[in-house]
């Protein structure tokens, strides 16, 4: 049973090498007070932030330099904590 007096918070990590797209997505999501929004502009930084904050949801662009969205997903699925 949820406590109606205390809002539920979810952490969302937005990953996109296009800073404008990242900012737009974060701005839209921040309108929900239950969401804590994190942003990253590359896969390597996103993986570090995911390890640090263990987000509930990751929204990622597919085409990014250095580490694309598919590789980011593979690494998250292989990670002993994040895969859950």
């Amino acid at each position: 049973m949820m406590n109606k007096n205390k809002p539920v918070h979810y952490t969302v990590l937005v990953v996109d090498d296009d800073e404008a797209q990242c900012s737009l997505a974060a701005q839209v999501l921040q309108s929900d007070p239950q969401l804590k929004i994190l942003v990253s502009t590359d896969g390597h930084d996103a993986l570090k932030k995911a390890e640090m904050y263990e987000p509930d949801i990751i929204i990622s662009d597919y085409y990014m330099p250095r580490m694309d969205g598919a590789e980011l997903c593979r690494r998250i699925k292989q990670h002993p904590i994040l895969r859950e």
Side-chain angles (χ1 to χ4, degrees):
M1 178 177 253
M2 285 180 39
N3 181 347
K4 293 182 181 182
N5 296 328
K6 189 172 185 179
V8 176
H9 291 279
Y10 299 98
T11 301
V12 179
L13 175 58
V14 178
V15 187
D16 195 322
D17 60 314
D18 183 335
E19 290 183 31
Q21 292 294 329
C22 228
S23 294
L24 178 62
Q27 183 178 6
V28 170
L29 293 169
Q30 285 175 343
S31 65
D32 186 334
Q34 294 182 333
L35 300 178
K36 175 182 178 180
I37 310 302
L38 305 170
V39 296
S40 179
T41 56
D42 72 62
H44 290 285
D45 181 59
L47 191 55
K48 289 178 188 175
K49 285 184 178 178
E51 290 172 340
M52 190 180 314
Y53 297 102
E54 297 182 28
D56 299 291
I57 300 170
I58 299 174
I59 302 171
S60 177
D61 183 18
Y62 185 85
Y63 298 104
M64 295 183 292
R66 295 181 40 187
M67 182 191 307
D68 65 20
E71 180 62 24
L72 175 61
C73 287
R74 275 192 286 280
R75 291 191 186 190
I76 288 169
K77 288 178 182 180
Q78 294 172 351
H79 194 282
I81 295 171
L82 298 176
R83 68 178 173 215
E84 297 299 322

